[in-house]
Amino acid sequence: MDIVPIPADTYKLGFIGAGKMAESIARGAVRSGVIPASRILTASHSNSSRGDAFQSFGVSLLSSNDDVVRESNVVIFSVKPQVGIVINHSHSLFLITAAFNCIFTPFSPPVAAVKDVVLKLNPLLTKNKLLVSVAAGVKLHDLQEWAGHNRFIRVMPNTPAAVGEAASVMSLGGAATEEDANLIAKLFGSIGKIWKADEKYFDAVTGLSGSGPAYVYLAIEALADGGVAAGLPRDLALKLASQTVLGAASMVTGTGKHPGQLKDDVTSPAGTTISGVHELEKGGFRGTLMNAVVAAAKRSRELA
């Protein structure tokens, strides 16, 4: 059977589950003009505040998940761990985002929840449907086996999606087309930046960009504490620390220079910066960060 393309200019986008990641994707897509709010749907939620969040920027609330699927071409699954779904037939693009938060709550593995969702959907999952998973630790091989075909794309975003600065990586299943990849790249590009990579790198992606925001938050907190120790008021120290990290990251992405070169540019002989860098080196700063990424990647492999 030939792969039926998703109508990129006219599709309706439905969300099954109205959590934070779903909201981030929807808001980003609307904000960037990828799709108007009038073509985004979700169902009423047991937590009314979640539905209110979607309605606040123009998304329609329907009475059931079945209605969302019936009226949508693109259906994003964003359900919590151990929450099952039963829906009716639809020729749709599916993003299985069950248990995305398991990246940050490692004692709730997503595999069983996602397997349950996909197996329930199996009769609906024809090759006319593109399936996309953002569930940490769930391999394409398993997803494709449960679905009965391999028109799959696996995506790993991270929590800065909430402010439009996600770092996402996607890997294509065997039957996913370049058109499929372009559609997903455009959608996830609305909440940050996205790159394509082989799935074998995804545990390392989890250790770096999945867990990495926590490392940076610790660094910001530590910089602010250092400012307080040096005599700054707490509020000023925190503002300076967070803006300094934002500015430094923007220098790396904006100039294209290697961070080592940028470090050298600000480190004058016998100056203040080299004194601080010397202390970081004595404390094993770089090695500790490297070890943190490797440890998180190892844990990701164990959970998978």
Side-chain angles (χ1 to χ4, degrees):
M1 178 187 292
D2 292 334
I3 296 294
V4 176
I6 305 298
D9 296 329
T10 60
Y11 70 87
K12 287 188 176 182
L13 177 62
F15 287 89
I16 305 300
K20 294 291 188 179
M21 181 54 66
E23 181 186 347
S24 295
I25 297 169
R27 284 188 182 276
V30 171
R31 183 175 56 245
S32 65
V34 169
I35 185 172
S38 60
R39 290 187 4 229
I40 300 178
L41 311 167
T42 192
S44 55
H45 196 274
S46 58
N47 180 350
S48 61
S49 66
R50 299 308 311 140
D52 293 343
F54 276 79
Q55 287 184 306
S56 70
F57 59 99
V59 172
S60 299
L61 281 188
L62 303 184
S63 60
S64 70
N65 287 333
D66 285 1
D67 291 338
V68 172
V69 173
R70 271 192 291 269
E71 296 193 25
S72 302
N73 305 97
V74 177
V75 179
I76 299 182
F77 283 84
S78 184
V79 296
K80 292 181 179 180
Q82 308 308 325
V83 175
I85 297 174
V86 179
I87 62 175
N88 293 328
H89 287 268
S90 172
H91 295 290
S92 306
L93 161 69
F94 285 81
L95 282 81
I96 310 293
T97 67
F100 169 75
N101 285 335
C102 285
I103 294 176
F104 306 102
T105 54
F107 294 102
S108 300
V111 175
V114 177
K115 181 177 181 179
D116 182 59
V117 170
V118 176
L119 288 178
K120 281 185 169 64
L121 293 170
N122 181 279
L124 314 176
L125 304 180
T126 69
K127 293 182 180 179
N128 291 343
K129 309 176 193 300
L130 171 64
L131 303 129
V132 179
S133 171
V134 298
V138 185
K139 305 298 186 183
L140 275 171
H141 174 271
D142 293 326
L143 292 162
Q144 292 168 165
E145 180 179 326
W146 302 332
H149 68 82
N150 59 356
R151 193 183 183 187
F152 248 108
I153 297 177
R154 184 180 172 193
V155 182
M156 284 282 294
N158 62 1
T159 55
V163 292
E165 293 293 346
S168 303
V169 179
M170 66 176 175
S171 181
L172 276 60
T177 67
E178 283 304 312
E179 289 75 17
D180 294 338
N182 290 339
L183 190 151
I184 295 307
K186 188 172 184 180
L187 184 62
F188 280 85
S190 71
I191 58 167
K193 295 182 179 180
I194 183 167
W195 296 268
K196 187 188 297 184
D198 192 285
E199 188 187 29
K200 68 183 180 181
Y201 298 118
F202 270 41
D203 290 319
V205 169
T206 299
L208 178 53
S209 60
S211 301
Y215 315 152
V216 177
Y217 301 146
L218 284 172
I220 292 171
E221 183 182 33
L223 285 170
D225 285 346
V228 172
L232 291 177
R234 169 66 64 182
D235 59 341
L236 178 58
L238 183 57
K239 289 173 183 177
L240 287 172
S242 56
Q243 182 61 33
T244 297
V245 171
L246 175 63
S250 298
M251 287 287 287
V252 175
T253 58
T255 66
K257 291 183 178 180
H258 190 280
Q261 181 181 350
L262 291 169
K263 179 263 297 179
D264 289 347
D265 290 345
V266 75
T267 307
S268 55
T272 59
T273 304
I274 193 61
S275 296
V277 169
H278 188 198
E279 290 300 315
L280 291 174
E281 293 290 4
K282 287 194 292 184
F285 178 72
R286 288 191 292 183
T288 300
L289 278 180
M290 291 168 65
N291 289 341
V293 173
V294 172
K298 180 176 181 289
R299 183 61 175 151
S300 177
R301 284 191 294 272
E302 292 170 352
L303 291 173

